[in-house]
Amino acid sequence: MNIGITVYPTYGGSGIVGSELGRELAERGHNVHFISSFLPTRLTELSDRIHFHEVEMMSYPLFEHQPYDLALATKMATVARAEKLDLLHVHYAIPHSISAILARESIKQKRYVPVITTLHGTDITLVGADRSYLPITRYGLQQSDGVTAVSKFLKQATIETFDFDEIEVIPNFICGKYYLRTPESPLKNELAPNGERLLVHVSNFRHVKRPVDCIEILARLRNGGTDARLVMVGDGPELSAVRYRGEQLGMNGSVIYVGKQANIADYLGVADIFLLPSELESFGLAALEAQACEVPVIATRIGGIPEVVNDGETGFLSDIGDIEKMSSDAATLLSDEDLRRSFGEKGRELAISRYSTQKIIPQYIAYYERIIERSAAAAA
Ligand code: GMT
């Protein structure tokens, strides 16, 4: 198949999933055309099967804001015709599904290119549900030829908010060979020079991730006598609040802020515990990546997380903001190496058996084939 993929190219789960899906499809012999404002961060290599088409935008003084959606639609239409795309697969509904629908409609006399929209989370739960975007998001869902969601939770949230239920759940995935426990890595010694226990948090540091809670947990652990350090991977609007709280609690000497990182697996591979105290998470890709690296997860019992983390088996789940329980669960795990290892092993087993690329990528391919067939039958 010739597949067009659009993602937000910056750091973030939906961009990672879209980029890795493209790479996996190319490995299975498909031609993948990424259409985006710049090269997605996880897409480090192009090849004869992975192509990149940059969305160019003309700047004009009249435009207060550049009309990216239209430039994207134009590029999608051009690429769809030139490369004979079989479908356009967009990640994150807003504005990608609208641009794709516009592209499809603009060229349909020549070639009908079905549009598949994958919902990732806040495109439904926060942004899409907001009054300013709700009608156009619903239109995007209704007009897409196929819609997938990354968790059962997200499918249900979409039904409730948009009264739209033609949704296939295809969960996120990991490639087991890239996500491994690496306790012997030199990075371990760099981050924990005195053998301290390592807590790791990875996010885009938005309010919804509650990264300040990680500092609170670290403070409780250290004040309770656990020699732990916290590695904060990523960047975003809440980072200054995190640093401020770290300063207030006298914890910043035990926090390592490493900023945005291309290779998250390096940090997860040396972690003792992964922290994800989010107030909303439609899936929690980072928790899956941590489990694949045999790292027990301390997270909140919200959204799709209970679908990904087995409470009491691969991690511990708590209510939002229940710092005391999260700290005490972390202390339990950190004081018991056997328990930690057993949680870690079960986490990897769960990640590989339910969410490996071998299991999930064929689901996408089968779904593509179904949608292409259905669209062709409708056109005939
Ligand atoms: O968080 C977002 O606003 C968007 C998105 C992203 O690009 O990171 O995150 C969502 O998609 C990820 C990949 O499917 C999921 O793992 C995240 O749980 C989800 N974020 C939220 O629901 C807050």
Side-chain angles (χ1 to χ4, degrees):
M1 281 183 269
N2 291 331
I3 302 154
I5 294 186
T6 289
V7 295
Y8 279 109
T10 47
Y11 289 79
S14 60
I16 293 171
V17 171
S19 306
E20 295 196 345
L21 173 60
R23 199 179 58 201
E24 293 288 334
L25 291 167
E27 274 178 21
R28 287 161 176 77
H30 301 285
N31 288 308
V32 180
H33 295 267
F34 283 93
I35 307 166
S36 188
S37 50
F38 54 93
L39 194 66
T41 38
R42 282 277 176 111
L43 205 66
T44 45
E45 275 173 39
L46 298 178
S47 69
D48 53 345
R49 292 217 196 92
I50 305 183
H51 312 267
F52 173 61
H53 306 268
E54 184 179 337
V55 178
E56 295 138 86
M57 272 187 296
M58 174 201 180
S59 119
Y60 186 66
L62 186 65
F63 297 155
E64 199 184 332
H65 305 288
Q66 305 280 343
Y68 176 68
D69 328 0
L70 300 183
L72 175 61
T74 306
K75 194 67 172 187
M76 285 169 158
T78 312
V79 174
R81 287 197 63 194
E83 305 294 344
K84 300 191 170 31
L85 294 187
D86 294 303
L87 63 92
L88 277 164
H89 184 182
V90 300
H91 293 262
Y92 209 84
I94 303 167
H96 298 156
S97 62
I98 301 301
S99 300
I101 289 158
L102 199 52
R104 181 191 70 197
E105 294 302 304
S106 72
I107 59 168
K108 73 176 177 199
Q109 311 301 358
K110 309 269 182 208
R111 179 179 189 84
Y112 188 87
V113 185
V115 171
I116 293 178
T117 299
T118 288
L119 308 173
H120 280 273
T122 49
D123 45 354
I124 291 300
T125 54
L126 293 180
V127 185
D130 187 87
R131 213 152 38 95
S132 52
Y133 289 112
L134 193 142
I136 198 79
T137 306
R138 179 183 285 128
Y139 179 79
L141 298 173
Q142 289 166 342
Q143 293 297 315
S144 291
D145 298 273
V147 175
T148 79
V150 297
S151 63
K152 292 183 208 148
F153 159 81
L154 189 57
K155 174 173 177 169
Q156 193 51 37
T158 310
I159 293 172
E160 281 162 22
T161 310
F162 296 94
D163 194 20
F164 178 88
D165 67 356
E166 278 173 58
I167 302 167
E168 181 89 356
V169 175
I170 305 183
N172 289 331
F173 52 86
I174 38 101
C175 180
K177 68 177 183 224
Y178 298 125
Y179 290 91
L180 293 166
R181 181 167 176 262
T182 51
E184 307 306 327
S185 153
L187 185 63
K188 178 93 182 180
N189 201 38
E190 226 176 86
L191 299 170
N194 305 307
E196 298 93 336
R197 294 283 165 236
L198 281 181
L199 312 176
V200 173
H201 171 74
V202 180
S203 79
N204 46 20
F205 286 72
R206 277 175 299 137
H207 182 73
V208 72
K209 304 284 178 179
R210 294 183 64 101
V212 175
D213 288 2
C214 299
I215 300 284
E216 301 285 353
I217 294 167
L218 175 71
R220 279 157 184 76
L221 285 170
R222 288 194 64 82
N223 295 339
T226 305
D227 196 9
R229 299 186 95 194
L230 170 65
V231 185
M232 297 294 252
V233 186
D235 198 354
E238 286 290 295
L239 189 59
S240 52
V242 170
R243 284 183 183 275
Y244 182 68
R245 190 64 183 145
E247 201 58 51
Q248 276 184 327
L249 294 176
M251 285 295 132
N252 276 352
S254 302
V255 186
I256 309 147
Y257 298 97
V258 298
K260 290 179 181 172
Q261 293 292 329
N263 292 320
I264 304 295
D266 293 350
Y267 292 87
L268 295 174
V270 298
D272 291 299
I273 281 185
F274 181 70
L275 299 177
L276 193 63
S278 308
E279 75 185 27
L280 190 58
E281 207 65 71
S282 71
F283 184 88
L285 180 63
L288 173 61
E289 293 173 331
Q291 291 185 142
C293 294
E294 299 181 39
V295 185
V297 173
I298 301 273
T300 35
R301 193 180 297 103
I302 41 95
I305 290 187
E307 293 173 47
V308 180
V309 178
N310 271 359
D311 192 13
E313 223 178 271
T314 68
F316 286 120
L317 303 183
S318 302
D319 293 339
I320 299 168
D322 193 346
I323 310 289
E324 301 309 330
K325 178 174 180 310
M326 290 188 240
S327 310
S328 121
D329 289 341
T332 303
L333 284 165
L334 291 181
S335 63
D336 186 341
E337 164 99 36
D338 289 346
L339 184 68
R340 226 166 46 241
R341 293 284 7 101
S342 138
F343 270 48
E345 281 160 21
K346 284 187 200 137
R348 178 154 177 101
E349 212 176 285
L350 180 156
I352 301 296
S353 63
R354 287 204 221 148
Y355 300 108
S356 67
T357 46
Q358 287 92 325
K359 200 167 163 71
I360 306 299
I361 306 300
Q363 293 183 28
Y364 270 115
I365 295 173
Y367 188 66
Y368 287 174
E369 287 168 350
R370 220 160 77 214
I371 296 299
I372 292 172
E373 219 169 89
R374 197 170 73 188
S375 305

